[in-house]
Amino acid sequence: MRKLILPLIISLLFFGQSLDAQKNQPTIKAEPAFWWVGMPTNQLQIMLYGKDIAYSRASIDYSDVKIQKQVAGDSPNYLFIYLEIGRNVEAGMMEINLKNGKKETSILYELKNRLSSTGRNLGFNSSDVIYLLMPDRFANGNPNNDTVEGMLEAADRTIPSGRHGGDLQGVQEHLDYIKELGMTAVWLTPVFENDMKTEYHGYHGYAATDMYKVDRRFGSNEEFVSFVKACHDKGLKVIMDMIHNHIGDQHWWMKDLPFKDWVHDQSVYGNTNFRGVVGSDPYASSYDTDKLQKGWFVNEMPDLNQHNEELAFYLIQNTLWWIEYSGVDGIRMDTYVYPYPDYMARWAKTVIDAYPNFNIVGESWVETVPHEAYWQKDKEGEGDGYNSHLPSVTDFQIHFALRDGLTQNFGWDSGIMKLYYTVSQDRLYSDPKNNVIFMDNHDISRFFATVNRDMDKFKMAYAYLLTTRGIPQVYYGTELALDQTQFNGDGYKRADMLGGWPGDPRSVFTKEGRTPIENDMFDYVAKLTNWRKGSKAIHDGKMLHFLPENNIYTYFRYTENERVMIIMNANEQEVNHDLTKYIEMLDGYSKATNIMTEQQLSLDEMLKLPAKSVSIFKLNE
Ligand code: CA
């Protein structure tokens, strides 16, 4: 006779509380903790974790749900069950029975109804401007969660690379600042739990110790959902940062790996060579490819083996779970070129097939345009047949071109020629307008430092970023000309926003709290972004550019109804500029409006270009 034991409510276990239903009853953890009916994919993997659970066989009696297969881990404490969820399955609590010889137990697993997709999972595109911020460094809305008992690292703002206590509530309290700056999307560096040792410093979020849990020092899972909703209510999209290449060495898996090959063996492959270029190199050695793909990111970041099918399924499903659960609009995938390319393509295709309006940008930090273009989906031309299915890449080439363009002297292949050469290779991309473009981010020098604190050049970079093709991304603080010239290391280019912490001497979030330079920059960026919102020519218009001459680079963005002329004068002095050579683009237009000064000018006059400037004109008939 079947003995029914009080079922465990798994969803209660999910948020870190373990609950033994009875003294002798083993705790069983399930991931994901719940799922939905009517999902685009009808397969569900449930990873069950509990003492000796691998010796059990699962059975389910729930209408239109079938068990397809069960896979025991190398560790006896894992059982992976794969379910087929039929079209007509109704939401409810599903009982999973587990039988091991004469021992029987059961757990309850919730299948929820999906929320309406209206206003969620919106994707992002070239009409957006993305604001990249680090939750630990932006604002501390809740000082009570800075240090959480039982977690390894306490907050200490005096350590540049320590945890500083910023959180989701802090970001949420400053959404008006982000909106006023003209941003339309927010990309948060990862919010996953990073319960890493103090000496490692997991404030950045790239060393996940639980991929189903928001770090409690940022907030709870529920707070993340509220945060996304609050952003949507303000018309801001949310981009979630994910990492499938590696985890943190304090991840709970590391104490009891599900399979021997769950992570790559560091004693064999060592650490990665960080050379993303190897991934698309037709002559790459196995030695280099193995180092890239199987080497650990650093000693504290074990490298995941996505060729373990149970892990691959787990990771893909983790993404679908977060999209469905939180309503986020897009994903930025960290270290896209490090994992196995076939796995990343499978992941991207599954996500986009499930959420067709969604967008994904992969971090593709490589050295040249052909290397970069390799990682965007549907690339053209003769190659190895690889299709990444990745809609968007992080366009490091625009960053390099801006850096060189504004710091080198003008020459045959230097200075602003770099900007020209870079976009003139756009034929190699399948969809260059979908590239995410930036002057800096959390991994590279603040651009104000790169241009040696030259305000004119700094503004030129913004004007270029917000008018060339692509999806601009602004790194928090760079809108205020934060720099890192007096500092060294990652912790410094990720400095706190002043005013985000109680007791800060002033607040950059208010006009009164900002210095004149900060206000000048803030107003400049806000004016550009808010103008850009209404310009279809900048969003999806065509581009036509002229070979730079005399250190002046001119390009046009245009649609049938709108034409914008952008002239970059990289000279150290004012120039009187003759527009005659642009006749093919000016024909039919007699006047132009400078969108920053709102001054009108006649197109048959010489144009005065200020020293080190970018002038943006909307043409009028
Ligand atoms: Ca806090």
Side-chain angles (χ1 to χ4, degrees), residues 422-594:
T422 299
V423 293
S424 67
Q425 298 173 74
D426 270 3
R427 214 181 281 284
L428 294 171
Y429 291 108
S430 62
D431 190 8
K433 279 181 206 149
N434 207 17
N435 289 7
V436 169
I437 55 174
F438 51 94
M439 63 178 89
D440 58 16
N441 67 24
H442 54 313
D443 289 321
I444 49 188
S445 289
R446 293 266 183 192
F447 203 76
F448 193 47
T450 302
V451 292
N452 208 15
R453 301 174 62 94
D454 182 322
M455 200 61 140
D456 295 331
K457 287 184 175 176
F458 190 47
K459 285 183 176 172
M460 288 175 76
Y462 265 109
Y464 178 80
L465 192 72
L466 292 163
T467 53
T468 192
R469 69 21 173 202
I471 309 171
Q473 168 249 296
V474 171
Y475 179 44
Y476 83 96
T478 286
E479 75 275 15
L480 302 173
L482 287 195
D483 67 57
Q484 48 145 175
T485 46
Q486 69 272 46
F487 305 124
N488 301 299
D490 275 352
Y492 293 101
K493 58 193 172 227
R494 302 163 176 181
D496 301 339
M497 286 285 269
L498 261 184
W501 274 251
D504 279 356
R506 63 186 179 94
S507 174
V508 296
F509 293 106
T510 65
K511 201 175 189 65
E512 303 70 43
R514 293 193 283 266
T515 64
I517 284 181
E518 287 166 355
N519 270 322
D520 183 33
M521 274 318 300
F522 183 92
D523 295 346
Y524 183 80
V525 176
K527 176 125 193 171
L528 269 172
T529 51
N530 282 301
W531 166 77
R532 189 186 189 278
K533 281 180 188 166
S535 176
K536 289 241 179 311
I538 302 293
H539 301 167
D540 335 284
K542 293 181 180 168
M543 178 142 86
L544 183 143
H545 63 176
F546 291 80
L547 265 169
E549 288 182 315
N550 306 318
N551 210 3
I552 293 169
Y553 175 39
T554 300
Y555 54 99
F556 289 77
R557 302 295 313 278
Y558 63 103
T559 62
E560 240 174 75
N561 308 314
E562 187 190 6
R563 193 160 286 201
V564 182
M565 172 172 70
I566 301 113
I567 309 182
M568 178 179 274
N569 174 25
N571 291 291
E572 297 280 336
Q573 58 284 321
E574 186 184 86
V575 171
N576 266 327
H577 192 55
D578 182 357
L579 302 178
T580 312
K581 78 171 179 183
Y582 309 133
I583 185 66
E584 66 188 281
M585 292 305 289
L586 300 182
D587 198 21
Y589 297 88
S590 61
K591 292 199 277 298
T593 309
N594 183 318

Side-chain angles (χ1 to χ4, degrees), residues 405-435:
L406 295 173
T407 56
Q408 295 174 345
N409 290 328
F410 181 60
W412 186 262
D413 58 359
S414 61
I416 56 169
M417 284 307 298
K418 289 280 176 72
L419 290 168
Y420 174 87
Y421 284 135
T422 299
V423 293
S424 67
Q425 298 173 74
D426 270 3
R427 214 181 281 284
L428 294 171
Y429 291 108
S430 62
D431 190 8
K433 279 181 206 149
N434 207 17
N435 289 7

